[in-house]
Amino acid sequence: MNELIQVLPAVALRGTTILPKMTAHFDVSRKRSVEAVTEAMVREQKLFLITQKDPAVEQPGLSDLYTMGTVVHVRQIVKMPKGLVRVMIEGEYRARLLQFFKEEPFLEAEVQKTEDENDLYISANAKEAMRQTLMELFASYCEENQKFSRDMAEQILGITELEEAMDQITVNLPVSYERRQKLLEAVKLSDKYELLGEMLANEVHVMQIKAALSEKIKAHIDQNQKEYILREQLKVIRQELGEDTTDSDIDKFEQQLRGLNASVEVKDKIRKEIGRLKLLGNNPSEGPVVRGYVETLLSLPWEVLSKDTVSIRRAERILERDHYGLEKVKERILEFLSVRRLTKKGDSPIICLVGPPGTGKTSIARSVAEALNKKYVRICLGGVSDEAEIRGHRRTYVGSMPGRIVAALQKCGVRNPLMLLDEIDKMGSNYKGDPAAAMLEVLDSEQNSHFSDHYVELPLDLSEVLFIATANDASNIPRPLLDRMEVIEVSSYTENEKLHIAEKFLLPKQKKKNGLKDNQLTIEKEALEAMISGYTKEAGVRDLERKIGQICRKAARAVIEDKKAHLCVQKSDLEAYLGKARYTFIEANEKPEIGIVRGLAWTSVGGDTLQIEVNLMPGKGELILTGNLGDVMKESARIGISYIRSIGEQYGLDAEFFKNQDVHIHIPEGAVPKDGPSAGITMTTAMLSAMTKIPVRADVAMTGEVTLRGRVLPIGGLKEKLLAAKKAGMKLVLVPVKNRPDVEELDKEITEGMEIRFVTEMAEVIEQAFVKE
């Protein structure tokens, strides 16, 4: 054996194997491969090509490559677009990969030339017999494979030397790169002969099977129906496997149609589609589409109604059992029941519950469904931005399906369920349409009796559906859609309400969830109150439920590990169970101060108090605002300073004063964004106090928008703001007079212990807030 060790640039090939005496071209794009080809053009145009075991590996190492490759002569390289390089090569001889000298910037390999090993025991007669056998197999292959070049076949069949014949057949046989690699690694003549013979025999056998299957298929095809070849192929294969079930499906559909409770129009449409399915048979393109459409129509509850409850007392008992508070929602449901009982019909109301997270909007829908004995189905609209999600896709599209409304009716199986439209304010819109516009028809009681879904193509009656929508912010709902719904505000819970909910609902629920019996855990009332005020800060009770769940889990561990029969959690134990208290509420200041006024704010987690601070300093009459304030709040401050300048003479403030003094307004917690006009009277009072050196009462809080002429305008979120004022220990709260109806609707529990005075102008605010000498 003649052996030669060389060092050559190398390229790792993916999905192809180059053999000696083979002329081929391939594309390279990896940086290392391009650099290796460029280096080969410098080194006598010699390149070592080695095949990857796994084509998916991007940066192959020595273990990722086969050991046998081919040294080739690079005849031509052409640079293509997008960084591709097309390489034309001619295989010279096989070589074994010994090691890589380097891997960057290109692969440089040490290779050992490997010659064919002649089997000494093979005689000349044996070689001739081997050549003739290969030629017979190759002749059979060419006869079966009509695509093989006739000229090339005649040229190969005319070769008289065994080695040359094997090389030419190997190069021209279209087999996978794994098989070619095996031929490349076969060093002995006998091994190479056996591999090549096996490959030729396998290829001939596979082509004979394909030809037989083709002949069997042709027997089922009429000469005038050649365009249906693919369909008939599938049909023959299904018959061979025993999977042809079209006739049984049609029988099943017809049986379901006979028992379907639907109008004549609907039944005629379904009957027509079943007829189409019969004609199509096993058509692979249209058959599944029609089958899916028929299944959808048959699964819809066209005339199926569930029987609603008529017992108002039972409904009221269920609503009171599952939820504390929410009186307006319960009252509206009982009104609907009363009307339904008197009229035997009654339009189903379309209710929208608007309020902060965790206040029971979603859970009350399940209770209402149980109270009315209705099927319950929930549709989450958060993040929906495609109109087709509501109306469905037209059947002309691949993968079309009905919209969420139709899918919900399919799921519940009746025409009059309670349908919860959750997070209706979180819908978006884009180039695919506006789902809020599609909801206009769904939620219009005058139109939804003939709701049109693009997929179903038949009118659906939604007038019997009881829709309940939920939202966190009504301002994000388009006005036409909001106009179609009866909005019920679900406001924040008071601390007393949270205490009742925790005792009556959350604690029993978490005990059951964590496997505790009623007598194994007790949480004292004072501990619950401390949890509500010191460990949670929210409008609802979700975080409170999590904290109770945390205590229950620790209690469950104590029961198991310490064998404790009963645990009683007191206020002093909370730190051991929940850690340090996370929240502290800013109490009222101990004494009146100059330039500091307590304002009230509404947040998504309830109300809060804002301590507005004002300082004066020598300057040029500038107004400085800090505390992460929004544009509306900044405008309120400018309006306030303009109002003070207009009445400055009453307080001995001349024009020179405003020219020579800078006013700095700061609202603490600068990382928290703040906006809105409701702090207008608070900032104005604080600025006037700082300018006149008159202190403001420490027990006064206020809220209201101020105008340029000093009028006080109404604001929103009053319940949450008053709760925050009460928690901070305020004795007097100044509220715009136009908010009087909002105050009168509040429970005495909220206003008890505070004096609420209504104001119309800034003069009244100043009169009430400033300390009288």
Side-chain angles (χ1 to χ4, degrees), residues 178-311:
E178 292 97 336
R179 289 187 172 186
R180 271 198 184 147
Q181 185 65 35
K182 288 182 180 179
L183 288 170
L184 183 63
E185 293 174 353
V187 179
K188 289 186 178 181
L189 188 68
S190 57
D191 294 341
K192 191 172 181 180
Y193 165 77
E194 289 175 4
L195 280 170
L196 189 57
E198 182 185 351
M199 288 182 188
L200 281 170
N202 283 339
E203 290 293 321
V204 170
H205 187 56
V206 168
M207 286 188 289
Q208 286 174 345
I209 293 173
K210 288 172 67 177
L213 181 61
S214 179
E215 287 297 321
K216 187 174 182 180
I217 291 169
K218 286 179 182 178
H220 291 79
I221 301 175
D222 189 272
Q223 291 296 320
N224 297 324
Q225 295 179 329
K226 290 184 179 179
E227 64 272 17
Y228 298 117
I229 287 177
L230 292 174
R231 187 190 308 165
E232 291 298 321
Q233 284 179 333
L234 182 61
K235 186 175 180 180
V236 169
I237 293 171
R238 285 183 178 275
Q239 287 175 349
E240 291 292 327
L241 297 174
E243 293 180 356
D244 193 1
T245 60
T246 304
D247 293 338
S248 62
D249 285 346
I250 290 173
D251 292 340
K252 183 180 72 174
F253 291 154
E254 288 178 340
Q255 183 178 355
Q256 290 178 350
L257 179 60
R258 286 192 292 270
L260 185 66
N261 186 7
S263 64
V264 175
E265 178 188 3
V266 173
K267 288 190 173 183
D268 288 344
K269 176 71 172 177
I270 298 174
R271 196 173 290 113
K272 180 181 177 182
E273 293 298 325
I274 292 175
R276 280 190 65 201
L277 185 60
K278 285 181 182 178
L279 293 175
L280 290 170
N282 278 314
N283 186 313
S285 59
E286 291 190 49
V289 176
V290 178
R291 185 191 307 271
Y293 182 55
V294 172
E295 289 174 346
T296 300
L297 294 183
L298 288 171
S299 65
L300 285 172
W302 298 99
E303 300 293 340
V304 180
L305 295 167
S306 63
K307 188 176 180 181
D308 293 352
T309 185
V310 292
S311 173

Side-chain angles (χ1 to χ4, degrees), residues 76-130:
Q76 184 182 22
I77 63 171
V78 180
K79 292 187 177 180
M80 307 291 288
K82 298 183 179 180
L84 287 176
V85 175
R86 182 160 292 172
V87 186
M88 186 175 181
I89 54 90
E90 183 176 359
E92 291 191 355
Y93 54 87
R94 68 164 59 88
R96 188 178 303 279
L97 175 61
L98 300 178
Q99 64 176 328
F100 283 134
F101 275 144
K102 64 178 182 180
E103 296 187 5
E104 294 295 339
F106 58 86
L107 295 176
E108 191 172 59
E110 182 184 69
V111 301
Q112 182 183 55
K113 183 177 179 181
T114 306
E115 296 283 358
D116 289 341
E117 294 181 12
N118 292 320
D119 294 325
L120 300 176
Y121 64 89
I122 301 178
S123 63
N125 290 336
K127 284 187 177 182
E128 180 61 20
M130 292 164 68

Side-chain angles (χ1 to χ4, degrees), residues 8 133 190 246 375 520 552 566 587 646 665 674 724 750:
L8 296 172
T133 304
S190 57
T246 304
K375 291 287 186 71
Q520 289 180 317
C552 289
H566 179 72
E587 299 289 341
S646 70
I665 302 176
K674 309 168 191 73
I750 298 172

Side-chain angles (χ1 to χ4, degrees), residues 4 62 84 101 111 122 126 179 304 338 358 372 379 392 536 556 574 586-587 627 634 694 701 727 731:
L4 176 65
L62 194 64
L84 287 176
F101 275 144
V111 301
I122 301 178
R179 289 187 172 186
V304 180
S338 303
L372 302 180
I379 300 175
T536 65
L574 287 181
I586 302 173
E587 299 289 341
K634 291 177 180 178
I694 301 174
K727 197 169 184 180
K731 302 298 182 186

Side-chain angles (χ1 to χ4, degrees), residues 13 28 218 284 335 347 443 452 456 490 506 526 607 630 636 699:
L13 298 177
V28 294
K218 286 179 182 178
E335 287 172 359
D347 292 334
L443 298 181
S452 174
V456 175
V490 181
L506 304 184
E526 291 77 10
S636 295
D699 60 350

